Amino acid sequence: MRIVTYMLLLSLVPYFGLGQNKINGKVVDQLGFPVYRASVEIDATDIVAYTDYDGSFLLKSEKDFHWKVNIKSKGYKPQSFFVISGGNTGDIVLEYDATIKELLDGNSSLDQKFYRNSWGKAVLIPKSEILLAGVFNF
């Protein structure tokens, strides 16, 4: 009798996982690096997941598939796509927004003011501010 009970319980185990639909994937940038803390949300719901340090995410929902999924992260263009069935989406590539593209191309005013013009120039520090290990004063 015990064997029949155990077999019945083990045969029901796959049905416990059918209550939630899952989708997982990885969010990367245009260079292939993972995007950390990007929000991945199902459109028109409160279901949100955030990518981990590896860019991976996992969304679970009681709703059947045919979801619209929105991905957002600072420095990247927002992206939306449709999920027809569950499983692994593979790598989802986010494009850089205009400000990040300017920095990478070297065309931004920030890059020109602080980095390129200061290369090779001496840095002057007033003598009154130089104090080494609290012992030497110039």
Side-chain angles (χ1 to χ4, degrees), residues 82-101:
F82 288 93
V83 176
I84 304 301
S85 63
N88 192 341
T89 63
D91 290 354
I92 299 169
V93 180
L94 290 183
E95 291 185 32
Y96 297 116
D97 67 1
T99 56
I100 299 297
K101 280 186 179 179

Side-chain angles (χ1 to χ4, degrees), residues 5 8 14 18-19 32 40 42-44 47 51 58-59 75-76 92-93 113 117 121-124 128-129:
T5 307
L8 181 61
L18 293 178
V40 183
I42 299 174
D43 195 41
I47 300 171
T51 57
L58 174 66
L59 281 173
Y76 299 93
I92 299 169
V93 180
K113 286 182 183 176
N117 292 342
K121 292 185 179 179
V123 177
L124 302 176
S128 61
E129 293 182 16

Side-chain angles (χ1 to χ4, degrees), residues 56-126:
S56 301
F57 68 91
L58 174 66
L59 281 173
K60 297 178 185 178
S61 174
E62 297 293 329
K63 180 182 169 188
D64 286 336
F65 287 104
H66 306 289
W67 299 335
K68 181 179 179 185
V69 177
N70 302 319
I71 301 176
K72 300 175 190 171
S73 185
K74 193 168 187 167
Y76 299 93
K77 293 180 183 177
Q79 185 175 356
S80 298
F81 64 95
F82 288 93
V83 176
I84 304 301
S85 63
N88 192 341
T89 63
D91 290 354
I92 299 169
V93 180
L94 290 183
E95 291 185 32
Y96 297 116
D97 67 1
T99 56
I100 299 297
K101 280 186 179 179
E102 285 179 4
L103 280 173
L104 290 174
D105 292 340
N107 296 330
S108 87
S109 60
L110 179 68
D111 182 53
Q112 293 169 358
K113 286 182 183 176
F114 293 104
Y115 297 109
R116 293 186 183 224
N117 292 342
S118 64
W119 290 353
K121 292 185 179 179
V123 177
L124 302 176
I125 301 172

Side-chain angles (χ1 to χ4, degrees), residues 126-138:
K127 285 186 178 183
S128 61
E129 293 182 16
I130 299 176
L131 180 65
L132 299 174
V135 177
F136 301 104
N137 225 345
F138 295 108

